[in-house]
Amino acid sequence: MPTFDYAPAPESRSIVDIQPSYGLFIGGEMVDPVDGTVFKTVNPATEEVLTEVVAAGPEDVDRAVAAARHAYDAVWAAMPGAQRAKFLYRIARLVQERSRELAVLESIDNGKPIRESRDVDLPLVAAHFFYYAGWADKLGHAGFGAAPQPLGVAGQVIPWNFPLLMLAWKIAPALACGNTVVLKPAETTPLTALAFADICRQADLPPGVVNIVTGAGETGQALVSHGGVDKVAFTGSTEVGRAIARAIAGSRKKLTLELGGKAANVIFDDAPIDQAVEGIVNGIFFNQGHVCCAGSRLLVQESIADDVLDRLKRRLGTLRLGDPLDKNTDIGAINSPQQLEKIRMLSDVGSEEGAERWSAPCELPDRGWWFPPTVFTGVTQAHRIAREEVFGPVLSVLTFRTPAEAIEKANNTPYGLSAGVWTDKGSRILWMAQRLRAGVVWANTFNRFDPTSPFGGYKESGYGREGGRHGLEAYLDV
Ligand code: NDP
């Protein structure tokens, strides 16, 4: 337990100017919907209604796709790469200039701690635009032929766990390659995408190059199945990813899917234990565990399991849960009541199936949606909490004796997005990395992201890569 209490250190909300209602960003302007309805977006930490946004209807989506097509044909595709790069650099600089405002807005709308939105999400958003700005005039040197061509209009649907960062992952490479986009943010987190619309205007981006249509699943469905879309990029649940793959099967649309995960974080007995404990915490409790590549299955070598668990529980006792805008907060709010319900349900199933449940002793605020950091021990591979994506601050602990057993257990999942290995031996890291069926393998670290590094999955975690040179391929006709 902490030896002293922290005084509150709240970040000011005054930097954020939330309007009473928002329209759709189509053709470079905020416009009223034609057939859309409105819904409210809520602060998950307080349940306060923040503003009203539009659930775009099929006609609205149609207008957005037409605007993107016009911008593609009239300006963007034919613009020299060096010119496109200037716009992307401009956007990156504007994101940096407005990063405090965007970080506060993200924390208010999503519930994530300001420490994370300020120190992780926003720097990575800017880095993505800077990185892909650098590629825009060098596409002929990316390994996809001398003059690779863009695809056309990209329809992009993103989730609520990293709203602005997922937007950057989608929009930066698409624009760098000469495509125009229509993006739908998640229903519960539309505000930073709407702020990004303002950044596009500030950057003088030609109208229609980026269009933002807010809404729920039906809006996403209308977008991905629209006949004028050439490329679909989706991040979210495996279930919706499957539905999208079915919906566009047989069409000429190119598809990338970044779906769920159930990553193993493997700790060997020669690992630096204190660092590994920090890595476990960062792996599963970062962003309330709302992370597709979260290290939600801890595989710890049997001989050190008791020691690791003791230290882990002690460390979890020091995490501070509460006001996302407080700079001392480690664990913020759960994004929606639906997600909280899912976390509760799967945790209850964990107890019912016989695993031992432990939660960090912390008080939960009266209002808002919260779940304490929770660890299940005595978990077997048959348990649902070892197989299904909880997408919350819930860790399942399993043990192993030999490296071969660690590999077998780590790979025993329908997913394959990421994995972590903690050991003192470089040769063991390489041995493990060659055998883990995961798109990303972190060694002696976890949840580290870099725009230069490709990210994506095997099996039910989806297909295609985002980030790095590989991320260009998804937006080029190759
Ligand atoms: P979804 O996969 O439903 O949402 C992702 C995005 O797709 C949202 O913008 C959503 O809109 C949109 N969408 C929903 N249905 C369709 C459709 N038929 N066609 C096109 N777009 C659609 O995830 P949820 O938010 O419902 O979360 C459910 C579970 O998914 C979580 O509990 C978690 O396990 C997992 N998940 C995994 C993520 C990952 O990165 N691996 C990210 C998010 C969730 P809307 O916002 O209205 O739902």
Side-chain angles (χ1 to χ4, degrees):
M1 292 299 288
T3 50
F4 53 87
D5 284 333
Y6 284 79
E11 176 74 56
S12 167
R13 261 183 81 148
S14 61
I15 194 165
V16 164
D17 181 21
I18 302 178
Q19 296 162 30
S21 66
Y22 289 86
L24 302 166
F25 185 61
I26 297 180
E29 287 175 30
M30 292 305 287
V31 299
D32 289 332
V34 176
D35 59 345
T37 52
V38 292
F39 65 96
K40 295 182 189 346
T41 182
V42 172
N43 179 339
T46 60
E47 301 178 45
E48 164 205 5
V49 172
L50 295 169
T51 179
E52 270 186 2
V53 294
V54 174
E59 275 190 55
D60 295 314
V61 169
D62 192 44
R63 270 194 310 165
V65 173
R69 172 69 52 198
H70 179 74
Y72 179 80
D73 291 338
V75 246
W76 198 247
M79 187 184 277
Q83 285 294 109
R84 288 200 305 270
K86 284 186 192 171
F87 286 104
L88 288 165
Y89 278 123
R90 231 184 255 173
I91 290 172
R93 295 292 299 272
L94 286 162
V95 167
Q96 286 184 320
E97 275 170 30
R98 294 178 60 173
S99 69
R100 197 164 145 245
E101 171 202 347
L102 293 166
V104 172
L105 189 60
E106 195 77 303
S107 283
I108 292 174
D109 204 20
N110 168 283
K112 65 173 69 196
I114 186 72
R115 210 162 50 83
E116 290 176 5
S117 46
R118 182 194 62 196
D119 298 346
V120 182
D121 296 38
L122 261 297
L124 281 171
V125 170
H128 262 84
F129 281 100
F130 277 122
Y131 176 73
Y132 279 109
W135 271 117
D137 63 347
K138 302 174 194 69
L139 297 173
H141 305 279
F144 305 113
Q149 296 303 304
L151 294 166
V153 175
Q156 307 179 318
V157 177
I158 57 172
W160 44 263
N161 53 344
F162 292 91
L164 195 59
L165 183 57
M166 289 302 104
L167 174 150
W169 280 30
K170 297 277 179 287
I171 292 185
L175 264 47
C177 293
N179 305 274
T180 56
V181 309
V182 179
L183 176 130
K184 190 200 88 69
E187 180 183 1
T188 55
T189 54
L191 295 189
T192 44
L194 292 165
F196 184 81
D198 193 48
I199 286 178
C200 293
R201 278 195 301 196
Q202 265 184 298
D204 275 332
L205 191 69
V209 172
V210 168
N211 305 274
I212 310 278
V213 290
T214 51
E218 298 78 58
T219 308
Q221 210 170 359
L223 176 58
V224 301
S225 48
H226 192 288
V229 164
D230 303 294
K231 149 87 194 174
V232 171
F234 172 78
T235 297
S237 61
T238 298
E239 188 191 351
V240 173
R242 269 201 205 105
I244 291 177
R246 271 196 300 270
I248 70 170
S251 75
R252 65 189 158 72
K253 290 173 196 170
K254 198 166 164 176
L255 175 64
T256 37
L257 295 174
E258 202 269 273
L259 310 174
K262 193 73 196 174
N265 201 0
V266 186
I267 321 283
F268 284 97
D269 59 4
D270 63 343
I273 303 287
D274 284 330
Q275 282 97 320
V277 167
E278 288 308 307
I280 297 165
V281 173
N282 183 41
I284 181 64
F285 300 111
F286 169 67
N287 205 35
Q288 295 72 248
H290 301 326
V291 183
C292 48
C293 52
S296 52
R297 282 185 301 149
L298 176 65
L299 295 187
V300 57
Q301 199 152 16
E302 202 176 85
S303 52
I304 55 162
D306 291 343
D307 186 20
V308 168
L309 280 168
D310 283 348
R311 294 196 214 194
L312 177 64
K313 288 178 182 173
R314 225 177 306 140
R315 177 71 180 94
L316 294 179
T318 69
L319 293 181
R320 289 177 299 276
L321 176 150
D323 180 6
L325 287 188
D326 191 320
K327 291 171 209 156
N328 291 324
T329 293
D330 299 300
I331 309 278
I334 301 301
N335 181 250
S336 66
Q338 293 80 1
Q339 189 59 30
L340 180 58
E341 189 42 46
K342 179 176 172 192
I343 298 167
R344 281 185 178 149
M345 183 273 290
L346 279 172
S347 298
D348 290 347
V349 169
S351 302
E352 283 157 24
E353 289 185 344
E356 191 178 326
R357 178 178 182 161
W358 177 91
S359 290
C362 57
E363 266 179 45
L364 305 184
D366 298 334
R367 290 191 68 78
W369 306 303
W370 309 91
F371 197 87
T374 295
V375 176
F376 278 97
T377 46
V379 178
T380 74
Q381 297 186 83
H383 285 143
R384 273 180 76 186
I385 47 166
R387 290 183 285 118
E388 295 182 29
E389 189 179 43
V390 179
F391 223 61
V394 178
L395 177 68
S396 297
V397 183
L398 298 93
T399 57
F400 67 91
R401 289 183 182 169
T402 63
E405 187 185 350
I407 288 291
E408 203 169 304
K409 286 185 169 166
N411 287 341
N412 185 10
T413 165
Y415 295 112
L417 196 52
S418 64
V421 181
W422 296 80
T423 170
D424 201 28
K425 292 187 187 60
S427 57
R428 182 175 280 163
I429 291 171
L430 295 175
W431 190 89
M432 292 288 290
Q434 281 167 355
R435 288 161 180 80
L436 286 164
R437 297 291 291 164
V440 180
V441 178
W442 284 293
N444 293 328
T445 187
F446 210 95
N447 272 344
R448 277 180 91 92
F449 305 98
D450 190 298
T452 65
S453 175
F455 184 90
Y458 283 95
K459 302 189 282 186
E460 291 188 18
S461 291
Y463 42 80
R465 293 292 178 267
E466 293 183 298
R469 181 185 69 80
H470 302 74
L472 296 166
E473 186 177 356
Y475 291 98
L476 291 170
D477 189 11
V478 290

